[in-house]
Amino acid sequence: MAFVKQRPIHIILWIISISVAAHGTLALAQDQCRACHEAIGDTPSTLFKRDIHLGKGISCADCHGGDARKEEMEEAMSKSAGFTGVPKGDEISTLCARCHADAAIMVKKYRSTLSLEQAELLSTSVHGKLSITGKERIAQCTTCHGSHGIVGKDNPASPVYPPNVVKTCAKCHANAAFVRTYNPSLPVDQLDKYRTSVHGMRNAKGDAKVAECASCHGSHDIRSAKDVKSAVYDINVPATCSTCHSSANYMKGYKIPVDQFEKYSKGVHGIALLQKHDLAAPACNDCHGNHGATPPGVQSISKICGSCHALNADLFSKSPHKKAFDQKNLPECETCHGYHDIVVATDKLLGVSSEAVCSWCHGGAPTSKAHLVAKNMRQLIDSLRSSESAATLLVDEAERKGMEIGEARFKLRDARQARLESRTMVHSFDEQQFQQIVDKGLKVASEVSEEANNAIEEYYFRRQGLGIATLIITVLAVSLYVFIRRLERRQRTKQ
């Protein structure tokens, strides 16, 4: 009974298979181009068997022209039949765009969700610039996608399938002779570096989700890193990285946080780059690397920070904290300053108050040397800031009173410079060296305050002198007036 019940299904499947085979035979019989080339067994026809276009009913003649119904080669490949042969240069991309840029074909006919702007984006990209011949673009559609064996980008056999993209890009970008003809300064070791990164190692294992070339640089719309519209332009890098790293769903399974971009945006580096557009401020790749992106290890963090903050890193390496941090296996700069959400380095971080980072380790031992040093250093820098502020107020007052105080104003910059130097010297955690810098600033602030006070006193002295002189002149004028009036009265009396 079971066999009887299943038999109609078998019959139906058999009929369908016969129909499909007949249809395929008929289609092959009608496409004489394929029939001939498959008989020869050449590479294009072999590759075309797996081509995505074949599955859509697109034949050789749709790209190369000619009449695929004719058996005679001269008739099938005649110019009168529209045969164009193998397209060259920009003709390739123009031919692809004939369908891929036409909504009536791609959307209505093939129900495709692919973008219709690939050809336009390619023409405005770095690959759309003229090649060394000056007659065609650097890259065509087939450069990356192939020609007769084109498959979807999600197919592992595709050159643009994520794990394969890096090899596809490297065909040109790892060719030193080729790259030199366009840009001698462009590195050709990106693939080697990429393979050392977390992204590259996972990609080599077949992980299609990790970042590869197109993930960061784009695909058809690749622009120069110096182009403000580029995904890897300095200001745009954090947003590009966050495309993956801020998506909890996408990053699920990698067991890493997804709040890096949010923290970075609020940190001193993020504010400088994203809000103030300071291109000198570090983005993700400045710390993690570009093609060799790898999370910084505990021992390398100070090296990374030190590439910009060189003096701070050098002072720390000679300080007593260096040995203590190594023993406790603590990251150096990150321990006090944070990493993605780096706070502004203000004087509040120094000292033993609840908001000071020193108190995190030394706050519970008020009699220890470290506690006393931190406390004294904070008092010193507070006194310098107070003296500088007082000197500034005196200089401002003297200027408002019209006194020439330009030299003192200029000298005041030395006090500010000393305060900035003291913030750097903090990383030595040497109270004596720190005090030497602060004392230099205090001396300058004292001298400026004295000069400003002298100018203000001179101002009042001049005011008093002017008042006395005015009084004397007034008395003399009145006396002269009275004397003249008396002379006039005497003269009238004599007359």
Side-chain angles (χ1 to χ4, degrees), residues 16-45:
I16 292 174
S17 64
I18 292 297
S19 300
V20 171
H23 177 75
T25 303
L26 180 62
L28 180 60
Q30 291 177 343
D31 191 347
Q32 296 301 325
C33 299
R34 282 185 56 211
C36 182
H37 281 275
E38 286 183 3
I40 298 173
D42 61 7
T43 301
S45 64

Short mmCIF file of all heavy atoms in Angstrom, two decimals, residues 16-45:
data_model
loop_
_atom_site.label_atom_id
_atom_site.label_comp_id
_atom_site.label_asym_id
_atom_site.label_seq_id
_atom_site.Cartn_x
_atom_site.Cartn_y
_atom_site.Cartn_z
N ILE A 16 8.45 15.55 -14.31
CA ILE A 16 9.10 16.85 -14.16
C ILE A 16 10.54 16.79 -14.63
O ILE A 16 11.02 17.67 -15.35
CB ILE A 16 9.03 17.33 -12.70
CG1 ILE A 16 7.58 17.66 -12.33
CG2 ILE A 16 9.92 18.56 -12.48
CD1 ILE A 16 7.39 18.00 -10.86
N SER A 17 11.24 15.71 -14.22
CA SER A 17 12.66 15.58 -14.60
C SER A 17 12.81 15.46 -16.10
O SER A 17 13.73 16.01 -16.69
CB SER A 17 13.28 14.36 -13.90
OG SER A 17 12.66 13.18 -14.34
N ILE A 18 11.89 14.71 -16.73
CA ILE A 18 11.94 14.56 -18.19
C ILE A 18 11.70 15.92 -18.86
O ILE A 18 12.36 16.29 -19.83
CB ILE A 18 10.88 13.53 -18.67
CG1 ILE A 18 11.27 12.14 -18.21
CG2 ILE A 18 10.76 13.58 -20.20
CD1 ILE A 18 12.59 11.63 -18.78
N SER A 19 10.75 16.68 -18.28
CA SER A 19 10.42 17.99 -18.85
C SER A 19 11.60 18.94 -18.75
O SER A 19 11.93 19.66 -19.69
CB SER A 19 9.20 18.60 -18.13
OG SER A 19 8.08 17.75 -18.28
N VAL A 20 12.25 18.95 -17.56
CA VAL A 20 13.40 19.82 -17.36
C VAL A 20 14.53 19.46 -18.31
O VAL A 20 15.18 20.30 -18.92
CB VAL A 20 13.89 19.75 -15.90
CG1 VAL A 20 15.22 20.48 -15.74
CG2 VAL A 20 12.84 20.33 -14.98
N ALA A 21 14.78 18.14 -18.43
CA ALA A 21 15.84 17.67 -19.32
C ALA A 21 15.55 18.06 -20.76
O ALA A 21 16.43 18.49 -21.51
CB ALA A 21 16.00 16.15 -19.20
N ALA A 22 14.27 17.88 -21.14
CA ALA A 22 13.88 18.23 -22.50
C ALA A 22 14.03 19.72 -22.75
O ALA A 22 14.49 20.16 -23.80
CB ALA A 22 12.42 17.78 -22.75
N HIS A 23 13.66 20.51 -21.71
CA HIS A 23 13.76 21.96 -21.83
C HIS A 23 15.22 22.39 -21.96
O HIS A 23 15.58 23.24 -22.77
CB HIS A 23 13.12 22.63 -20.62
CG HIS A 23 13.25 24.13 -20.64
ND1 HIS A 23 12.48 24.92 -21.46
CD2 HIS A 23 14.08 24.96 -19.95
CE1 HIS A 23 12.81 26.19 -21.29
NE2 HIS A 23 13.78 26.24 -20.37
N GLY A 24 16.08 21.72 -21.14
CA GLY A 24 17.50 22.04 -21.20
C GLY A 24 18.08 21.67 -22.55
O GLY A 24 18.88 22.40 -23.12
N THR A 25 17.65 20.50 -23.07
CA THR A 25 18.15 20.06 -24.38
C THR A 25 17.69 21.02 -25.47
O THR A 25 18.45 21.38 -26.38
CB THR A 25 17.66 18.64 -24.69
OG1 THR A 25 18.06 17.77 -23.65
CG2 THR A 25 18.20 18.16 -26.02
N LEU A 26 16.43 21.45 -25.34
CA LEU A 26 15.88 22.39 -26.31
C LEU A 26 16.60 23.71 -26.26
O LEU A 26 16.96 24.30 -27.29
CB LEU A 26 14.37 22.58 -26.04
CG LEU A 26 13.64 23.56 -27.00
CD1 LEU A 26 13.71 23.03 -28.44
CD2 LEU A 26 12.19 23.73 -26.56
N ALA A 27 16.85 24.20 -24.99
CA ALA A 27 17.55 25.47 -24.83
C ALA A 27 18.95 25.39 -25.41
O ALA A 27 19.44 26.30 -26.06
CB ALA A 27 17.61 25.85 -23.34
N LEU A 28 19.62 24.24 -25.16
CA LEU A 28 20.97 24.06 -25.68
C LEU A 28 20.95 24.00 -27.20
O LEU A 28 21.83 24.54 -27.88
CB LEU A 28 21.57 22.77 -25.11
CG LEU A 28 23.01 22.43 -25.56
CD1 LEU A 28 23.96 23.55 -25.16
CD2 LEU A 28 23.45 21.11 -24.97
N ALA A 29 19.91 23.32 -27.72
CA ALA A 29 19.81 23.21 -29.18
C ALA A 29 19.58 24.57 -29.81
O ALA A 29 20.09 24.86 -30.90
CB ALA A 29 18.67 22.25 -29.53
N GLN A 30 18.83 25.44 -29.14
CA GLN A 30 18.56 26.77 -29.67
C GLN A 30 19.77 27.67 -29.53
O GLN A 30 19.97 28.59 -30.33
CB GLN A 30 17.36 27.37 -28.93
CG GLN A 30 16.05 26.67 -29.25
CD GLN A 30 14.90 27.24 -28.43
OE1 GLN A 30 15.10 27.92 -27.44
NE2 GLN A 30 13.67 26.96 -28.87
N ASP A 31 20.61 27.47 -28.50
CA ASP A 31 21.80 28.29 -28.29
C ASP A 31 22.98 27.60 -28.95
O ASP A 31 23.71 26.83 -28.33
CB ASP A 31 22.04 28.48 -26.78
CG ASP A 31 23.10 29.54 -26.50
OD1 ASP A 31 23.81 29.94 -27.45
OD2 ASP A 31 23.23 29.96 -25.33
N GLN A 32 23.16 27.87 -30.21
CA GLN A 32 24.22 27.22 -30.97
C GLN A 32 25.61 27.67 -30.52
O GLN A 32 26.58 26.94 -30.70
CB GLN A 32 24.02 27.51 -32.47
CG GLN A 32 22.74 26.95 -33.05
CD GLN A 32 22.67 25.44 -32.90
OE1 GLN A 32 23.69 24.74 -32.99
NE2 GLN A 32 21.46 24.92 -32.65
N CYS A 33 25.68 28.86 -29.93
CA CYS A 33 26.98 29.35 -29.42
C CYS A 33 27.49 28.40 -28.33
O CYS A 33 28.64 27.94 -28.37
CB CYS A 33 26.85 30.75 -28.85
SG CYS A 33 26.31 31.99 -30.03
N ARG A 34 26.61 28.11 -27.38
CA ARG A 34 27.00 27.22 -26.29
C ARG A 34 27.27 25.82 -26.80
O ARG A 34 28.23 25.16 -26.38
CB ARG A 34 25.90 27.17 -25.22
CG ARG A 34 25.86 28.38 -24.29
CD ARG A 34 24.82 28.16 -23.22
NE ARG A 34 25.08 26.94 -22.48
CZ ARG A 34 24.14 26.17 -21.91
NH1 ARG A 34 22.86 26.50 -22.05
NH2 ARG A 34 24.47 25.10 -21.24
N ALA A 35 26.44 25.36 -27.72
CA ALA A 35 26.59 24.00 -28.25
C ALA A 35 27.95 23.83 -28.91
O ALA A 35 28.65 22.82 -28.70
CB ALA A 35 25.47 23.71 -29.24
N CYS A 36 28.35 24.82 -29.65
CA CYS A 36 29.62 24.74 -30.35
C CYS A 36 30.80 24.81 -29.39
O CYS A 36 31.73 24.01 -29.46
CB CYS A 36 29.70 25.86 -31.40
SG CYS A 36 31.23 25.83 -32.37
N HIS A 37 30.72 25.77 -28.48
CA HIS A 37 31.84 25.96 -27.55
C HIS A 37 31.96 24.81 -26.55
O HIS A 37 33.07 24.47 -26.14
CB HIS A 37 31.67 27.30 -26.80
CG HIS A 37 32.09 28.49 -27.59
ND1 HIS A 37 33.39 28.93 -27.67
CD2 HIS A 37 31.37 29.32 -28.39
CE1 HIS A 37 33.46 30.00 -28.45
NE2 HIS A 37 32.24 30.26 -28.92
N GLU A 38 30.83 24.22 -26.18
CA GLU A 38 30.90 23.07 -25.27
C GLU A 38 31.45 21.85 -26.00
O GLU A 38 32.11 21.00 -25.39
CB GLU A 38 29.51 22.78 -24.70
CG GLU A 38 29.09 23.80 -23.64
CD GLU A 38 27.73 23.46 -23.02
OE1 GLU A 38 27.17 22.41 -23.37
OE2 GLU A 38 27.26 24.26 -22.20
N ALA A 39 31.19 21.80 -27.30
CA ALA A 39 31.76 20.70 -28.08
C ALA A 39 33.27 20.82 -28.15
O ALA A 39 34.00 19.82 -28.11
CB ALA A 39 31.15 20.70 -29.49
N ILE A 40 33.74 22.05 -28.25
CA ILE A 40 35.18 22.30 -28.27
C ILE A 40 35.77 22.03 -26.89
O ILE A 40 36.91 21.58 -26.74
CB ILE A 40 35.48 23.75 -28.70
CG1 ILE A 40 34.97 24.01 -30.11
CG2 ILE A 40 36.96 24.07 -28.60
CD1 ILE A 40 35.06 25.45 -30.54
N GLY A 41 34.96 22.34 -25.83
CA GLY A 41 35.42 22.15 -24.46
C GLY A 41 36.34 23.25 -23.98
O GLY A 41 37.25 23.01 -23.18
N ASP A 42 36.10 24.47 -24.49
CA ASP A 42 36.98 25.58 -24.08
C ASP A 42 36.63 26.08 -22.68
O ASP A 42 35.59 25.72 -22.11
CB ASP A 42 36.92 26.72 -25.09
CG ASP A 42 35.53 27.31 -25.24
OD1 ASP A 42 34.63 26.93 -24.47
OD2 ASP A 42 35.35 28.16 -26.14
N THR A 43 37.52 26.90 -22.13
CA THR A 43 37.36 27.39 -20.74
C THR A 43 36.10 28.24 -20.56
O THR A 43 35.37 28.05 -19.57
CB THR A 43 38.60 28.20 -20.32
OG1 THR A 43 39.75 27.35 -20.40
CG2 THR A 43 38.46 28.70 -18.89
N PRO A 44 35.80 29.21 -21.45
CA PRO A 44 34.60 30.03 -21.24
C PRO A 44 33.33 29.21 -21.11
O PRO A 44 32.51 29.47 -20.23
CB PRO A 44 34.57 30.91 -22.50
CG PRO A 44 36.00 31.02 -22.90
CD PRO A 44 36.59 29.68 -22.62
N SER A 45 33.15 28.22 -21.99
CA SER A 45 31.92 27.42 -21.93
C SER A 45 31.88 26.55 -20.68
O SER A 45 30.81 26.31 -20.11
CB SER A 45 31.80 26.54 -23.18
OG SER A 45 32.87 25.60 -23.23
#
